Amino acid sequence: MESEDPLSQLADIHLPDPVSIWPLAPGWWVLIALFIMFLIWLSYKAFRRLILHKRLQAAQDELAKAIDVYRASTLSADADKNKAGLDYLYAVNTVLNRVALFTDSRQQREIARLSGTPWLEYLDQSYGGNDFSEGLGKVLAEGQYRPIFAGEVEGLYTLAQNWISSRYTQKKQQSGQKKSNIEVMA
């Protein structure tokens, strides 16, 4: 009975188990880690931009509040327009100083000491032009110590608003340049 087929005695072919998705290969773990780091970096940038925008909005709101107080105090017939104007100058100077201290953190001590003409020169230098030392902003040099308020309130408001916007724009650009400077150094 040797005529039986010897191949019939062999076991059937067993296919291997299908490749499982788990556990992940090390390359996938690296990609997941890189993706998580990218999301954290993106969240950090968005958070910084949001904070910067909120600070800009707060500074502009404070400036708007100062001009609203000035307008309200000058409406009444017995209002002391000179005192209202000097208070307005003080408020504008305060807002500009806070913005300067935040946006130019490298020179905080020097900025905090500035007053008078050097303060106006700093504002001009950081804004570009001479709108503060020779233009509408000239009244800020003496601030609340002026004996008589003689300034254009609306023009000063617009100038201060534009300066604040330009400082925050520069702050955004500086944070972007820090990254490119780091890349150049590497």
Side-chain angles (χ1 to χ4, degrees):
M1 307 245 157
E2 291 187 27
S3 65
E4 282 186 35
D5 186 19
L7 293 176
S8 63
Q9 295 175 1
L10 292 176
D12 224 1
I13 296 176
H14 293 285
L15 295 176
D17 291 335
V19 177
S20 171
I21 195 140
W22 198 260
L24 294 177
W28 284 109
W29 286 110
V30 170
L31 282 176
I32 290 171
L34 287 174
F35 182 70
I36 289 172
M37 289 188 328
F38 174 72
L39 288 178
I40 290 170
W41 176 80
L42 201 61
S43 300
Y44 173 74
K45 285 294 193 181
F47 181 72
R48 283 193 61 188
R49 185 163 279 207
L50 177 70
I51 293 296
L52 201 60
H53 179 72
K54 284 190 179 269
R55 286 187 180 206
L56 167 66
Q57 196 63 41
Q60 289 185 338
D61 288 347
E62 196 171 336
L63 197 61
K65 181 181 176 187
I67 199 166
D68 289 343
V69 167
Y70 171 79
R71 288 174 182 156
S73 64
T74 58
L75 286 178
S76 63
D78 61 334
D80 184 5
K81 292 183 181 182
N82 190 50
K83 181 179 178 341
L86 295 176
D87 289 344
Y88 174 70
L89 281 180
Y90 178 74
V92 170
N93 255 336
T94 302
V95 171
L96 293 178
N97 197 293
R98 283 188 200 148
V99 170
L101 288 172
F102 172 71
T103 58
D104 201 352
S105 58
R106 293 171 291 167
Q107 300 176 349
Q108 281 187 344
R109 288 185 182 180
E110 292 82 16
I111 293 171
R113 294 182 192 142
L114 292 177
S115 64
T117 305
W119 169 240
L120 297 180
E121 289 171 355
Y122 169 78
L123 292 173
D124 280 340
Q125 179 258 335
S126 61
Y127 186 55
N130 56 1
D131 293 334
F132 287 98
S133 60
E134 296 178 16
L136 295 172
K138 198 173 194 175
V139 295
L140 293 172
E142 298 167 1
Q144 67 181 2
Y145 302 109
R146 294 178 64 87
I148 298 173
F149 173 71
E152 186 183 330
V153 175
E154 299 297 328
L156 184 60
Y157 173 74
T158 304
L159 179 63
Q161 253 190 336
N162 292 340
W163 184 84
I164 290 169
S165 295
S166 74
R167 292 304 296 161
Y168 278 96
T169 302
Q170 289 174 2
K171 182 77 172 172
K172 284 180 188 177
Q173 291 171 351
Q174 285 174 356
S175 66
Q177 285 177 351
K178 285 180 186 177
K179 179 185 172 200
S180 62
N181 288 344
I182 291 171
E183 290 172 355
V184 168
M185 293 173 82

